[in-house]
Amino acid sequence: MNLTITHEAWVITAAVLAVALLLLLIIKFKWQEFVALLFTSIVFGLAIGQNPNEMLTFIVEEMGSSLGQLSLVIGLGAIFGMMLQRAGAAQRIALTLVEKFSDRTIALGLSAAGFLVGTSVYIDVAIVILVPMLYQVALRTGKSLLHYGIPLCAGLSTAYTFMPPAPGPLATAGIMNADVGLVVLFGLICGLPAVLVAGPVFGRFISKRIHVEPPVPVSTESSGAQVQDADGNRAQDLARDGSSGTAGAALGQRGSAPVAVDERGVPLPSLVSVVGALLLPLILVVVGTVGRLVGGPVGEVFQFIGNPVIAMLATCLFSLYFFGVRRKLRKEDLQDIATAALGPAGMIILITGAGSVFGGVLVQSGLGDTLSEGMQSASVPLVVFGFVVASVMRISQGSGLVAMVTGASFSAPLAETLGASPSVVALTCIAIACGGAGYSHVNDSGFWMANRYFGMSVANTLKSWTVMKTLVALTGFTMVLILSFFIR
């Protein structure tokens, strides 16, 4: 019996086995994602018959070329996010918006706060900072903590997975070689409905069915912002741990005159400076996209200003000055903050680079040609393919970043083979982001963070947090499908 297999069939089989190997290494053997991606790329290359030495040379070159601009942007973005975190920017947004919104419309304010913060602050850090600030609000109103927490987390989740300069969408755009300005535009169009559905709408629904009391305070040590009266005398602490003198002291006193301060007693930055800093990189990147459309000398200037590296450098310098120098931080403090920020950024950069290597090996294998023929005969759109791959990876191994990197690694060669337009490539990035955003369950660290900070059982966390994340994914992808009918 003849058991020979065509090269194309073997490439597809090897790709499927490579994904299975990647999941096995991450889930079963707990390998670090960067190492697992790199090892899988090498095994896949050898399996399809690539010359070992040539393959290693290709891997080194691909790693370097893929991280040129991306490493700069991620590094600068990490410093920017750390400066916002240390300055109390998240607290300022939450305090101001909660003060301005009534009890009936507060969910909208919290969704907006989460969306603004999620673009630049790591989502786990944002949850640690912001969720405990809601404890006293829930106690004051008697409503379920989910009424406030779900809208906030929906905003955080959507921005963190849909909107550059957050690491996931930025890495996806880099691997897909997408126009970041278009990714920002499509991220807004698809993300805002996702926030509304998964945030205020679902939050109101689930809070009537699951009543969550704020966790019992376990500490009185202040770790966040504080409140001073108009004369500068310290009032109750605005701590992150939910202690008795925490966020409610500030959030529960609308119309009074307390002044929120950080742990050094310095007033929190103004809302205008914080929102301006968060919007600055997005505006500059969009300016660059406009420059490419305008062309000519003016277009060249716009493209320079809107280059992601220049946009993030300007934003980073802005944050260092307004949230550092103007707030009397020492030069040594600024250096320590920047150094601390680059640790997590380095791991994201390495994972992204390894994902680019995996994608490059897939391109060399001819997988793009094989998949494109099958997809065209089956009439499967590129956005659907990217969403499905990212969703499978997200459900299987838990990490949204790995899911998005893998989804982009498989979609990039396909987009190249199909000759997809810049608009379609950018929209595919958002489809991949949708797949990486949803389905958070017990294999995701974010699930357990929500479980802890909301003080819920596992069952209630699945009914609330997991459903919220899934609504973000499905609502966003529905918007992607609608846009795909008009984008060519």
Side-chain angles (χ1 to χ4, degrees), residues 268-293:
L268 294 177
S270 68
L271 180 67
V272 172
S273 66
V274 172
V275 173
L278 289 167
L279 294 180
L280 180 58
L282 305 180
I283 292 172
L284 292 179
V285 166
V286 171
V287 166
T289 299
V290 172
R292 281 186 284 276
L293 298 175

Side-chain angles (χ1 to χ4, degrees), residues 38-100:
L38 187 60
F39 181 78
T40 302
S41 300
I42 295 173
V43 171
F44 175 75
L46 294 174
I48 61 174
Q50 291 185 349
N51 180 281
N53 293 319
E54 292 179 358
M55 180 186 64
L56 291 177
T57 300
F58 171 80
I59 286 175
V60 172
E61 293 175 350
E62 184 69 23
M63 187 82 176
S65 63
S66 65
L67 290 180
Q69 174 177 282
L70 199 60
S71 59
L72 296 175
V73 174
I74 291 176
L76 291 168
I79 296 174
F80 169 51
M82 184 65 77
M83 283 302 305
L84 290 178
Q85 176 189 335
R86 295 293 181 88
Q91 292 97 320
R92 166 52 65 204
I93 291 177
L95 288 172
T96 304
L97 291 180
V98 169
E99 180 180 318
K100 299 298 182 183

